[in-house]
Amino acid sequence: MIRLWAWRAAAWSLGLLPLALGLKSILQGRLGANPVEFVEHFTGDWTLRLLLATLAMTPLRMLTGLTEPIRVRRILGLWTFAFLCLHFLTYLVFDLSFSMTQLAEDLVKRTYITLGFTAWLLLLALALTSTVGWQRRLKRRWITLHRLIYPAALLGAIHYLWLVKADTREPLIYLSILLVLLGFRLPWQRLMGRQRARASAKVDP
Amino acid sequence: MLIKVAHPFPIKPSEITPEVVHADRRRFLRQAGLATAGAALFGYGPAKSVGAEAELAPLNVARKSEMAGGETVTPYADITHYNNYYEFGTAKEDPSRNAGRLRTRPWSVVVDGECEAPGHIDIDDLLKPQALEERIYRHRCVEAWSMVAPWVGLPLADFLKRFRPTSKAKYVAFETLYDRQQMPETARGVLDWPYREGLRIDEAMHPLAFLSVGLYGRVLPNQDGAPLRLTLPWKYGFKSIKSIVRVRFMERQPEVTWNKMAPDEYGFYSNVNPAVDHPRWSQAQERRLGELFKRKTLMFNGYPEVASLYTGMDLRRFF
Ligand code: HEM
């Protein structure tokens, strides 16, 4: 029980950390010459980092055998979504001045916006159904539904890769970490097992 | 063609230098006030003071022209801390941190190719007899941000004519210094160094094309392209190549860095054009440094006097 509380506190701290860092930058007047860009990048970076942290919980459980990571997953997921909403809102307010026609135009013409927006829609569905009530109502389908975090994360990471001008190092680092985390989900044992079965079938006709 | 001087220069020379100090003072006050709150919360003091650029040597400016329609000039601190100069790193603050390694003296420029008087020219020999002028120009980056800067320098044509280009000189190519020691970030090969740019000869000879050696009445800070750089206000910023070491008159269109890197995204001409979008983002609007909301981008960045250079050209094709 104490261990679970410690995990919960850690998850909340991880969600609150970027808020504190952002506030610190504001208070110190360090948003630079282009504050809108600063906020857009800051919230985008932290959305991606928290998303990776959320996706790291299952591998963490597989590696340690602990169940706490799974029990704080929702906290991390909801913080991810909160930062994503700030990110989206910055774009809506300062880039588009809330113009819906311009949003429609960007969604059609700018692939990186299309990718990011699709990710937002998927994560919106997950945030709305994240409650225990929905978990009960959807039963097994809940698990299937929440696998949508995988394509959402891929879309988010590719969105980042798509928008940089020339220096792809950072987006590629994030994408690699994501692929490793997703790699844990592949049914390795079954795959290996089948190979072993096939190998032995050859030796032993 | 003569340059139309929109307004007499509105700022007295004595007010230029104080702006440098002024930017520092504003920043200091902002930091002092906010940092007290910040320190209380997080135990941090103010960020390190603004760099030593304020001590750069003042330049003698003979003539001043305001050529940005009277728009507010961007603060010195922003022009010098928000730079694209990939040789010193790809983040906007990197050049202000790393360009201190650049040695701008001695500095010479090699000029060759289709001209009658090729040779080396030392930056100081170039500057000593030269009457410098100041021009306030709008600057529009291909990334859809913009600023207004008071450059000090000379018309590019005045410089180029010294070398007597021949009738074969249809283009001019420029090259930035490439030195791994002074520019360690180039080891990463984000771009194909050295950085190269080019102009058609009539563009280069246009009265708006400017060769800058100073900013805000003082010698150029390294991160802004010291000791000499192009300033082409009707083109996207990356055409205004920094820290030039080589100029070559050519018969054929030269290869230029960004075009080579992504030909469908960055054309040879790269004139500011709100009607032709970058494949990945819109060019119809821009964010002026210091403003929160976007403003409309103007054709040729608001310099219609260059339009005659491109009559009969399909600017969608020759973007
Ligand atoms: C899971 C979803 C998303 C993730 C992980 C994400 C992440 C990021 C990241 C990492 C950056 C770059 C930050 C940097 O350069 O340091 C970024 C930039 C940006 N994102 Fe997102 N984003 C997401 C969704 C969205 C959505 C829904 C929109 C708007 C519809 C959006 C609009 C933007 C814009 C406008 C930029 C700035 C582009 C520029 O600098 O020109 N993003 N995002």
Side-chain angles (χ1 to χ4, degrees):
Chain A
M1 207 55 210
I2 292 179
R3 214 162 58 187
L4 181 58
W5 281 107
W7 275 85
R8 282 203 178 133
W12 272 89
S13 312
L14 199 58
L16 288 167
L17 172 75
L19 270 190
L21 291 175
L23 201 65
K24 191 184 97 181
S25 297
I26 292 171
L27 286 173
Q28 294 187 333
R30 294 222 294 209
L31 303 194
N34 193 342
V36 175
E37 181 190 69
F38 180 96
V39 174
E40 227 159 59
H41 286 185
F42 184 87
T43 52
D45 287 342
W46 279 101
T47 302
L48 198 48
R49 286 172 199 152
L50 290 171
L51 195 54
L52 293 180
T54 313
L55 284 168
M57 293 304 112
T58 297
L60 207 58
R61 182 213 149 113
M62 289 161 102
L63 295 174
T64 62
L66 296 172
T67 56
E68 285 84 358
I70 302 302
R71 302 178 70 180
V72 300
R73 208 166 43 173
R74 176 166 55 194
I75 300 171
L76 291 174
L78 287 174
W79 273 112
T80 305
F81 187 66
F83 275 91
L84 177 54
C85 288
L86 285 178
H87 183 61
F88 189 18
L89 206 62
T90 316
Y91 159 83
L92 280 181
V93 175
F94 295 106
D95 283 357
L96 302 189
S97 307
F98 277 119
S99 155
M100 288 302 124
T101 40
Q102 235 183 312
L103 175 64
E105 201 179 304
D106 270 7
L107 282 173
V108 175
K109 289 215 291 208
R110 318 275 159 235
T111 313
Y112 80 95
I113 296 291
T114 320
L115 296 171
F117 185 79
T118 311
W120 178 75
L121 280 180
L122 295 178
L123 294 178
L124 173 68
L126 303 199
L128 291 176
T129 58
S130 65
T131 58
V132 179
W134 275 103
Q135 227 161 351
R136 290 214 185 100
R137 225 166 302 161
L138 293 173
K139 305 212 175 72
R140 289 206 59 80
R141 275 177 303 164
W142 188 89
I143 295 175
T144 317
L145 176 67
H146 279 248
R147 290 211 175 108
L148 284 178
I149 192 173
Y150 309 149
L154 282 168
L155 290 168
I158 297 171
H159 151 84
Y160 183 13
L161 185 63
W162 206 289
L163 65 88
V164 296
K165 227 167 92 197
D167 190 354
T168 50
R169 180 170 62 175
E170 271 192 49
L172 285 177
I173 292 174
Y174 283 111
L175 190 60
S176 316
I177 298 173
L178 175 62
L179 290 176
V180 170
L181 291 176
L182 293 184
F184 273 92
R185 270 88 176 173
L186 291 178
W188 289 111
Q189 273 176 354
R190 233 175 37 217
L191 291 176
M192 303 288 241
R194 211 176 291 152
Q195 239 167 30
R196 225 173 287 135
R198 216 178 293 144
S200 56
K202 261 186 213 142
V203 191
D204 240 329
Chain B
M1 191 172 115
L2 268 176
I3 314 163
K4 201 174 102 243
V5 177
H7 300 282
F9 192 74
I11 306 172
K12 281 186 249 107
S14 60
E15 285 170 0
I16 283 286
T17 315
E19 161 59 28
V20 174
V21 180
H22 194 68
D24 279 358
R25 188 167 53 214
R26 261 204 324 250
R27 189 176 267 241
F28 174 76
L29 288 176
R30 196 164 64 201
Q31 278 172 357
L34 291 168
T36 319
L41 271 171
F42 301 99
Y44 277 94
K48 69 171 171 42
S49 72
V50 237
E53 298 93 342
E55 287 139 39
L56 288 169
L59 295 167
N60 265 325
V61 177
R63 195 165 84 98
K64 300 188 171 194
S65 331
E66 203 287 333
M67 302 169 83
E71 292 184 51
T72 314
V73 178
T74 305
Y76 185 79
D78 289 348
I79 302 178
T80 55
H81 289 78
Y82 192 82
N83 305 93
N84 275 330
Y85 195 164
Y86 281 13
E87 285 85 336
F88 294 107
T90 54
K92 294 284 184 291
E93 332 75 62
D94 285 346
S96 62
R97 268 190 231 121
N98 301 333
R101 290 198 206 93
L102 178 68
R103 290 187 305 274
T104 57
R105 290 294 186 284
W107 189 280
S108 67
V109 182
V110 179
V111 183
D112 59 9
E114 306 292 349
C115 60
E116 285 165 20
H120 287 251
I121 181 157
D122 185 86
I123 180 85
D124 292 315
D125 296 339
L126 166 73
L127 292 180
K128 228 170 277 159
Q130 182 71 44
L132 295 176
E133 55 172 302
E134 175 169 271
R135 292 192 187 176
I136 299 185
Y137 275 156
R138 280 181 290 265
H139 174 98
R140 168 64 155 81
C141 177
V142 73
E143 297 164 0
W145 57 268
S146 64
M147 62 177 186
V148 177
W151 303 104
V152 177
L154 51 144
L156 179 59
D158 288 5
F159 172 78
L160 294 177
K161 281 175 189 159
R162 290 166 171 242
F163 308 96
R164 299 208 297 279
T166 66
S167 60
K168 276 185 166 175
K170 303 280 198 310
Y171 294 89
V172 204
F174 301 87
E175 217 172 274
T176 296
L177 176 75
Y178 173 37
D179 178 34
R180 282 272 178 107
Q181 226 122 62
Q182 297 177 64
M183 301 160 156
E185 286 276 335
T186 54
R188 278 188 52 216
V190 176
L191 291 174
D192 184 16
W193 320 109
Y195 192 89
R196 276 163 298 156
E197 256 313 334
L199 294 167
R200 223 170 50 195
I201 194 81
D202 56 339
E203 297 182 300
M205 294 295 181
H206 192 278
L208 273 189
F210 201 60
L211 190 60
S212 296
V213 297
L215 177 68
Y216 263 114
R218 288 168 182 269
V219 166
L220 267 181
N222 290 355
Q223 64 266 38
D224 288 281
L228 95 160
R229 61 165 295 167
L230 294 190
T231 305
L232 308 162
W234 73 97
K235 290 178 179 286
Y236 292 123
F238 68 88
K239 292 292 292 182
S240 293
I241 187 171
K242 299 186 176 82
S243 309
I244 298 165
V245 291
R246 187 185 184 99
V247 178
R248 173 172 249 171
F249 295 100
M250 296 173 74
E251 196 169 6
R252 299 245 182 94
Q253 182 175 306
E255 259 187 358
V256 293
T257 302
W258 279 102
N259 177 248
K260 209 173 152 216
M261 153 109 192
D264 56 325
E265 301 195 343
Y266 310 99
F268 175 78
Y269 288 94
S270 285
N271 293 318
V272 176
N273 188 342
V276 178
D277 284 346
H278 184 281
R280 287 180 289 156
W281 57 83
S282 163
Q283 295 293 25
Q285 291 183 307
E286 67 199 48
R287 180 169 285 116
R288 176 69 46 87
L289 297 187
E291 293 178 357
L292 290 181
F293 294 96
K294 293 195 165 182
R295 53 160 76 203
K296 283 208 155 55
T297 289
L298 305 171
M299 187 62 201
F300 297 122
N301 202 22
Y303 297 96
E305 56 269 52
V306 297
S308 60
L309 291 170
Y310 310 104
T311 38
M313 276 174 73
D314 177 359
L315 295 181
R316 282 188 178 277
R317 218 180 122 216
F318 298 99
F319 59 94

